[in-house]
Coordinates of all heavy atoms in Angstrom, one line a residue:
L1 N -90.5 -120.4 -88.9 CA -89.5 -119.6 -89.6 C -88.2 -120.3 -89.7 O -87.5 -120.2 -90.8 CB -89.3 -118.3 -88.9 CG -90.2 -117.1 -89.2 CD1 -89.8 -115.9 -88.4 CD2 -90.3 -116.8 -90.7
N2 N -87.8 -121.0 -88.7 CA -86.5 -121.8 -88.7 C -86.5 -122.8 -89.8 O -85.5 -123.0 -90.5 CB -86.2 -122.4 -87.3 CG -84.8 -122.9 -87.2 OD1 -83.9 -122.3 -87.7 ND2 -84.7 -124.1 -86.6
Y3 N -87.6 -123.5 -90.0 CA -87.8 -124.4 -91.1 C -87.6 -123.7 -92.4 O -86.9 -124.2 -93.3 CB -89.1 -125.2 -91.0 CG -89.4 -126.1 -92.1 CD1 -88.9 -127.4 -92.1 CD2 -90.1 -125.7 -93.2 CE1 -89.2 -128.3 -93.1 CE2 -90.4 -126.6 -94.3 CZ -89.9 -127.9 -94.2 OH -90.1 -128.8 -95.2
L4 N -88.3 -122.6 -92.6 CA -88.3 -121.9 -93.8 C -86.9 -121.4 -94.2 O -86.4 -121.4 -95.3 CB -89.3 -120.7 -93.7 CG -89.8 -120.1 -95.0 CD1 -90.6 -121.1 -95.8 CD2 -90.6 -118.9 -94.7
H5 N -86.2 -120.9 -93.1 CA -84.8 -120.3 -93.4 C -83.7 -121.4 -93.5 O -82.8 -121.2 -94.2 CB -84.5 -119.4 -92.2 CG -85.2 -118.2 -92.1 ND1 -85.0 -117.2 -91.2 CD2 -86.2 -117.7 -92.9 CE1 -85.9 -116.2 -91.3 NE2 -86.6 -116.5 -92.4
S6 N -83.9 -122.5 -92.8 CA -82.8 -123.4 -92.7 C -83.0 -124.8 -93.3 O -82.0 -125.5 -93.6 CB -82.4 -123.7 -91.2 OG -82.2 -122.5 -90.5
Y7 N -84.2 -125.2 -93.6 CA -84.5 -126.6 -94.0 C -85.2 -126.7 -95.4 O -85.5 -127.8 -95.8 CB -85.3 -127.3 -92.9 CG -84.5 -127.4 -91.7 CD1 -84.7 -126.6 -90.6 CD2 -83.5 -128.4 -91.5 CE1 -84.0 -126.6 -89.4 CE2 -82.7 -128.4 -90.4 CZ -83.0 -127.6 -89.3 OH -82.3 -127.7 -88.1
T8 N -85.6 -125.5 -96.0 CA -86.1 -125.6 -97.3 C -85.0 -125.5 -98.3 O -83.9 -124.9 -98.0 CB -87.2 -124.5 -97.6 OG1 -86.6 -123.2 -97.4 CG2 -88.4 -124.7 -96.7
S9 N -85.1 -126.0 -99.5 CA -84.1 -125.9 -100.5 C -84.6 -125.3 -101.8 O -85.4 -126.0 -102.5 CB -83.5 -127.3 -100.8 OG -82.4 -127.2 -101.7
P10 N -84.2 -124.0 -102.1 CA -83.3 -123.2 -101.3 C -84.0 -122.6 -100.1 O -85.3 -122.6 -100.1 CB -83.0 -122.1 -102.3 CG -84.2 -122.0 -103.2 CD -84.7 -123.4 -103.4
P11 N -83.3 -122.0 -99.2 CA -84.0 -121.3 -98.1 C -84.9 -120.1 -98.6 O -84.6 -119.6 -99.7 CB -82.8 -120.7 -97.3 CG -81.6 -121.5 -97.7 CD -81.8 -121.9 -99.1
H12 N -85.9 -119.8 -97.8 CA -86.8 -118.8 -98.2 C -87.0 -117.7 -97.1 O -86.9 -118.0 -95.9 CB -88.2 -119.4 -98.6 CG -88.3 -119.9 -100.0 ND1 -87.6 -121.0 -100.4 CD2 -88.9 -119.4 -101.1 CE1 -87.9 -121.2 -101.7 NE2 -88.6 -120.2 -102.1
V13 N -87.3 -116.5 -97.6 CA -87.7 -115.4 -96.7 C -89.2 -115.2 -96.9 O -89.7 -115.1 -98.0 CB -86.9 -114.1 -97.0 CG1 -87.3 -113.0 -96.1 CG2 -85.4 -114.4 -97.0
H14 N -89.9 -115.1 -95.8 CA -91.4 -114.9 -95.9 C -91.7 -113.5 -96.3 O -92.6 -113.4 -97.2 CB -92.1 -115.2 -94.5 CG -93.5 -115.2 -94.6 ND1 -94.3 -114.0 -94.4 CD2 -94.5 -116.2 -94.7 CE1 -95.5 -114.3 -94.5 NE2 -95.7 -115.6 -94.7
K15 N -91.1 -112.5 -95.8 CA -91.2 -111.1 -96.2 C -92.5 -110.4 -95.8 O -92.6 -109.2 -96.0 CB -91.0 -110.9 -97.7 CG -89.6 -111.0 -98.2 CD -89.5 -110.6 -99.7 CE -89.8 -109.2 -99.8 NZ -89.7 -108.8 -101.2
D16 N -93.4 -111.1 -95.2 CA -94.7 -110.4 -94.8 C -95.2 -111.0 -93.5 O -96.4 -111.3 -93.4 CB -95.7 -110.5 -95.9 CG -96.8 -109.5 -95.7 OD1 -96.6 -108.5 -95.0 OD2 -97.9 -109.6 -96.3
L17 N -94.4 -111.2 -92.5 CA -94.8 -111.8 -91.2 C -95.5 -110.7 -90.4 O -95.0 -109.6 -90.2 CB -93.5 -112.2 -90.5 CG -93.7 -113.2 -89.3 CD1 -94.2 -114.6 -89.9 CD2 -92.4 -113.4 -88.5
N18 N -96.7 -111.0 -90.1 CA -97.5 -110.1 -89.2 C -98.6 -110.8 -88.5 O -98.9 -112.0 -88.8 CB -98.1 -108.9 -90.1 CG -99.0 -109.3 -91.2 OD1 -100.0 -110.0 -90.9 ND2 -98.6 -109.0 -92.4
L19 N -99.3 -110.1 -87.7 CA -100.4 -110.8 -86.8 C -101.5 -111.5 -87.7 O -102.0 -112.5 -87.4 CB -101.1 -109.8 -85.9 CG -100.3 -109.3 -84.7 CD1 -101.1 -108.2 -84.0 CD2 -100.0 -110.5 -83.7
S20 N -101.8 -110.8 -88.8 CA -102.9 -111.4 -89.6 C -102.5 -112.6 -90.4 O -103.3 -113.4 -90.9 CB -103.4 -110.3 -90.6 OG -104.0 -109.2 -89.9
N21 N -101.1 -112.7 -90.6 CA -100.6 -113.9 -91.4 C -100.2 -115.0 -90.5 O -99.5 -116.0 -91.0 CB -99.5 -113.5 -92.3 CG -100.0 -112.6 -93.5 OD1 -101.1 -112.7 -93.9 ND2 -99.1 -111.8 -94.0
I22 N -100.5 -115.0 -89.2 CA -100.4 -116.1 -88.3 C -101.8 -116.6 -87.9 O -102.6 -115.9 -87.4 CB -99.6 -115.7 -87.0 CG1 -98.3 -115.0 -87.3 CG2 -99.4 -116.9 -86.1 CD1 -97.3 -115.9 -88.1
L23 N -102.0 -117.9 -88.3 CA -103.3 -118.5 -88.0 C -103.2 -119.5 -86.9 O -102.2 -120.1 -86.7 CB -103.8 -119.2 -89.3 CG -103.9 -118.3 -90.6 CD1 -104.4 -119.1 -91.7 CD2 -104.8 -117.1 -90.3
L24 N -104.3 -119.6 -86.2 CA -104.4 -120.5 -85.0 C -105.3 -121.7 -85.3 O -106.5 -121.4 -85.7 CB -104.9 -119.7 -83.8 CG -104.0 -118.5 -83.3 CD1 -104.6 -117.8 -82.1 CD2 -102.6 -118.9 -83.1
D25 N -104.9 -122.9 -85.0 CA -105.8 -124.0 -85.3 C -106.7 -124.3 -84.1 O -106.7 -123.4 -83.1 CB -104.9 -125.3 -85.6 CG -104.1 -125.7 -84.4 OD1 -104.2 -125.3 -83.3 OD2 -103.2 -126.6 -84.7
G26 N -107.4 -125.4 -84.0 CA -108.3 -125.7 -83.0 C -107.7 -125.8 -81.6 O -108.3 -125.6 -80.6
D27 N -106.4 -126.0 -81.5 CA -105.6 -126.1 -80.3 C -104.8 -124.9 -80.0 O -103.9 -124.9 -79.1 CB -104.7 -127.4 -80.3 CG -105.5 -128.7 -80.5 OD1 -106.5 -128.8 -79.8 OD2 -105.0 -129.6 -81.2
L28 N -105.1 -123.8 -80.7 CA -104.4 -122.5 -80.6 C -102.9 -122.7 -80.9 O -102.1 -122.0 -80.3 CB -104.6 -122.0 -79.2 CG -106.1 -121.6 -78.8 CD1 -106.1 -121.1 -77.4 CD2 -106.5 -120.4 -79.7

């Protein structure tokens, strides 16, 4: 989120952060 808010140009808001929209890779 910090990258999305502070380091993208322009900054972006995700607007739909929830458990289903967080994915876990092979290392969790």
Side-chain angles (χ1 to χ4, degrees):
L1 275 184
N2 192 39
Y3 176 84
L4 201 61
H5 290 180
S6 306
Y7 297 99
T8 58
S9 182
H12 275 74
V13 181
H14 186 276
K15 284 189 67 181
D16 197 20
L17 199 67
N18 60 60
L19 285 175
S20 297
N21 288 337
I22 305 301
L23 303 180
L24 302 178
D25 67 10
D27 298 320
L28 295 176

